[in-house]
């Protein structure tokens, strides 16, 4: 999905590290439930958080 916006294939790990470097996300205390693998962490954009 990420690559579709840019029109090229992206490395998942690199994308994750680059996004975290911008300091625009806050990791939530919850994670997505269900599935056979480790549940992914959920994040929210800092600009949408209540101050």
């Amino acid at each position: 999905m990420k690559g579709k916006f840019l029109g090229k294939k992206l490395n998942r790990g690199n994308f994750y590290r680059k996004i975290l470097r911008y300091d625009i996300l806050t990791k939530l205390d919850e994670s997505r439930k269900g599935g056979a693998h480790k549940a992914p962490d959920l994040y929210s954009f800092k600009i949408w958080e209540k101050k």
Side-chain angles (χ1 to χ4, degrees):
M1 184 170 136
K2 299 173 275 283
K4 289 185 180 186
F5 294 112
L6 299 174
K8 57 183 171 180
K9 190 173 182 175
L10 298 175
N11 180 296
R12 183 176 169 182
N14 288 342
F15 180 83
Y16 173 76
R17 282 189 288 280
K18 286 179 182 181
I19 291 296
L20 288 182
R21 203 177 314 153
Y22 287 112
D23 196 35
I24 59 172
L25 299 176
T26 300
K27 186 175 177 182
L28 302 176
D29 292 332
E30 58 188 282
S31 61
R32 182 186 261 174
K33 306 276 189 271
H37 303 287
K38 179 186 174 292
D41 295 321
L42 298 178
Y43 294 86
S44 69
F45 284 100
K46 288 184 178 180
I47 57 173
W48 290 337
E49 292 177 355
K50 296 179 182 178
K51 293 183 180 184

